């Protein structure tokens, strides 16, 4: 028995993309509390605590700004989970080169379409970015994560995820697919945690920043996805009511731990596992109508991911001028509509390639 069925995976993907595309808009607004995604800035934690002690009308937006980026580890978790279900049905091992080639050509059309469209919109709107030839080549080859000073070079931001996921795919096919003992995964997790933990003396420095933009900063949720997909347990809880009680307890406990662990550097490194348990429990608690809605968003998640930087660049000046909700509503509606068009184009590109 698997932890998540196909519908629940898609719904969890929908939850993840909602967090990401809301976060990637709201955290650019000056009054909103800033997140600790790549670096750990204790000043941001204190800012969040001040918001909780004296809530204002923007409380929901503050929460999206600070926590929304955790949609990324949810996507990484689902990537590891899906790889096991797809490639570990038998003992055969695909060629690592063909494996990587297949996934590169699968990701490239959507990344290329989003990047080109964003570049055109960025150039004709105020405050355009000045790309170098190296930025463009490394983005198109999904290797931009390796460049120094990623905060300056990776623009519009979200497309760094393609480079990250290709790194994780390579680790999977070269190591984790061949040696499937849990000890291999545990060793890899401990190694990557230790490298990040050594940055405690400079938690806002460039070293930790570059680590977190690459695979070492995301091995933990990826490994959890692999381990949970490999675990074939029996569902001994038959009652739906009992299952909901357990899921609610897991959700509440996870939420408390996320909040507490976010207060310190070492705790912050271990937040992703509880983001995953909270996300899974949340989806398990959804009634059929809500699950269907999250599933619908999940089906659009790839298109939303690549097109939301475009709509953000267009509509964020409205929110920055003081009309926060007006700009946000235009951003949400236009992103969904554009994502539906992108999905049609991406599917057509894949058909022509096939």
């Amino acid at each position: 028995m698997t932890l998540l069925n196909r519908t629940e995976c898609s719904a969890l993907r929908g939850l993840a993309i909602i967090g990401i595309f809301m976060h990637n808009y709201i955290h650019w607004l000056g009054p909103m509390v800033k997140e600790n995604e790549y670096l750990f800035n204790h000043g941001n934690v204190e800012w969040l605590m001040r918001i909780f002690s004296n809530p204002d009308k923007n409380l929901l937006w503050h929460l999206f700004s600070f926590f929304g980026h955790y949609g990324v580890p949810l996507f990484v978790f689902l990537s590891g989970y899906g790889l096991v279900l797809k490639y570990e049905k038998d003992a055969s091992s695909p060629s690592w080169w063909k494996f990587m080639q297949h996934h590169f050509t699968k990701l490239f059309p959507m990344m290329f379409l989003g990047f080109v469209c964003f570049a055109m919109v960025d150039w004709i709107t105020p405050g355009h970015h000045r790309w170098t030839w190296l930025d463009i080549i490394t983005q198109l080859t999904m290797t931009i994560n390796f460049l120094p000073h990623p905060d300056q070079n990776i623009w519009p931001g979200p497309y760094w995820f393609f480079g990250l996921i290709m790194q994780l795919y390579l680790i999977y096919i070269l190591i984790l697919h061949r040696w499937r003992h849990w000890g291999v995964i545990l060793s890899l997790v401990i190694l990557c945690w230790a490298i990040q933990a050594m940055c405690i003396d400079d938690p806002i420095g460039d070293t930790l920043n570059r680590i977190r933009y690459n695979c070492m900063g995301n091995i933990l949720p990826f490994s959890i996805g692999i381990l949970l997909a490999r675990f074939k347990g029996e569902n001994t809880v038959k009652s739906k009511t009992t299952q909901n009680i357990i899921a609610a307890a897991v959700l509440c406990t996870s939420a408390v731990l996320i909040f507490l662990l976010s207060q310190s550097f070492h705790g912050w490194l271990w937040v992703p596992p509880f983001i995953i348990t909270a996300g899974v429990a949340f989806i398990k608690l959804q009634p059929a109508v809500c699950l269907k809605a999250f599933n619908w968003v999940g089906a659009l998640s790839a298109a939303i991911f690549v097109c939301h930087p475009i709509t953000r660049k267009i509509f964020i000046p409205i929110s920055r001028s003081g009309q926060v909700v007006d700009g946000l509503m235009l951003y949400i509606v236009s992103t969904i509509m554009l994502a539906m068009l992108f999905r049609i184009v991406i599917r057509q590109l894949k058909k022509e390639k096939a």
Side-chain angles (χ1 to χ4, degrees):
M1 176 183 175
T2 56
L3 175 68
L4 296 165
N5 59 37
R6 187 182 295 272
T7 299
E8 289 170 335
C9 283
S10 182
L12 187 58
R13 198 173 291 114
L15 178 64
I17 196 60
I18 289 171
I20 289 171
F21 100 100
M22 291 292 285
H23 161 80
N24 281 339
Y25 184 94
I26 295 169
H27 83 136
W28 282 99
L29 304 179
M32 306 306 171
V33 62
K34 300 304 179 279
E35 75 286 354
N36 287 334
E37 183 174 5
Y38 312 106
L39 304 171
F40 183 80
N41 187 334
H42 198 268
N44 291 342
V45 176
E46 293 176 344
W47 189 354
L48 179 68
M49 296 304 294
R50 289 197 298 271
I51 294 298
F52 276 123
S53 62
N54 188 25
D56 58 24
K57 63 180 181 179
N58 293 321
L59 178 61
L60 178 61
W61 312 136
H62 288 302
L63 293 176
F64 271 118
S65 182
F66 191 85
F67 292 108
H69 68 90
Y70 282 116
V72 170
L74 284 178
F75 271 127
V76 171
F77 161 77
L78 287 168
S79 295
Y81 192 85
L83 287 174
V84 171
L85 298 182
K86 184 175 182 179
Y87 290 101
E88 297 186 11
K89 295 178 180 178
D90 51 51
S92 62
S93 180
S95 162
W96 74 270
W97 176 253
K98 289 183 178 179
F99 176 89
M100 295 301 295
Q101 186 181 45
H102 167 73
H103 285 284
F104 183 89
T105 55
K106 183 179 177 180
L107 293 174
F108 185 81
M110 66 178 98
M111 185 274 293
F112 182 75
L113 177 63
F115 181 67
V116 170
C117 291
F118 175 82
M120 290 189 292
V121 169
D122 185 59
W123 186 256
I124 61 177
T125 51
H128 62 264
H129 181 73
R130 295 187 179 276
W131 282 284
T132 67
W133 65 270
L134 184 60
D135 296 336
I136 297 170
I137 291 174
T138 52
Q139 180 61 71
L140 296 180
T141 56
M142 305 184 200
T143 55
I144 197 167
N145 307 53
F146 297 118
L147 294 184
H149 311 298
D151 289 337
Q152 301 173 21
N153 293 318
I154 297 176
W155 180 252
Y159 301 152
W160 69 273
F161 181 80
F162 291 100
L164 164 67
I165 212 67
M166 288 301 293
Q167 293 176 33
L168 293 172
Y169 284 158
L170 186 61
I171 290 172
Y172 172 77
I173 197 60
L174 290 182
I175 302 174
L176 302 180
H177 184 271
R178 299 185 181 188
W179 295 284
R180 300 183 186 181
H181 192 277
W182 62 267
V184 176
I185 291 182
L186 181 60
S187 299
L188 195 58
V189 168
I190 291 174
L191 174 63
C192 293
W193 162 79
I195 292 172
Q196 294 176 79
M198 288 189 294
C199 297
I200 188 171
D201 291 331
D202 190 16
I204 57 173
D206 187 60
T207 299
L208 181 61
N209 198 30
R210 296 183 69 180
I211 289 172
R212 301 279 293 183
Y213 265 103
N214 288 281
C215 61
M216 284 188 290
N218 291 272
I219 279 291
L220 180 56
F222 187 67
S223 299
I224 293 172
I226 291 173
L227 289 173
L228 289 180
R230 287 175 178 171
F231 177 74
K232 306 295 182 182
E234 293 293 331
N235 184 10
T236 58
V237 181
K238 303 299 182 182
S239 167
K240 181 63 176 176
T241 301
T242 304
Q243 291 178 6
N244 286 342
I245 292 173
I246 293 173
V250 170
L251 177 59
C252 293
T253 303
S254 298
V256 171
L257 288 172
I258 289 167
F259 179 78
L260 293 176
L261 290 172
S262 297
Q263 309 297 308
S264 66
F265 175 80
H266 284 298
W268 167 69
L269 295 176
W270 294 98
V271 168
F274 300 103
I275 291 292
I276 293 166
T277 54
V280 171
F282 178 82
I283 292 302
K284 292 286 187 182
L285 284 169
Q286 297 309 302
V289 63
C290 294
L291 191 66
K292 186 176 181 180
F294 280 111
N295 184 30
W296 183 83
V297 177
L300 270 178
S301 61
I304 291 174
F305 185 81
V306 297
C307 77
H308 79 272
I310 301 168
T311 51
R312 178 185 65 187
K313 184 72 192 294
I314 295 170
F315 292 111
I316 202 167
I318 298 174
S319 293
R320 283 176 166 169
S321 69
Q323 298 172 282
V324 175
V325 177
D326 297 335
L328 186 59
M329 292 302 103
L330 287 170
Y331 166 70
I332 292 171
V333 172
S334 62
T335 297
I336 292 173
M337 295 303 298
L338 186 60
M340 295 172 72
L341 294 175
F342 266 47
R343 183 169 61 172
I344 294 172
V345 174
I346 291 169
R347 285 178 174 175
Q348 188 61 38
L349 288 172
K350 290 181 178 179
K351 286 181 180 178
E352 292 178 357
K353 180 180 179 297

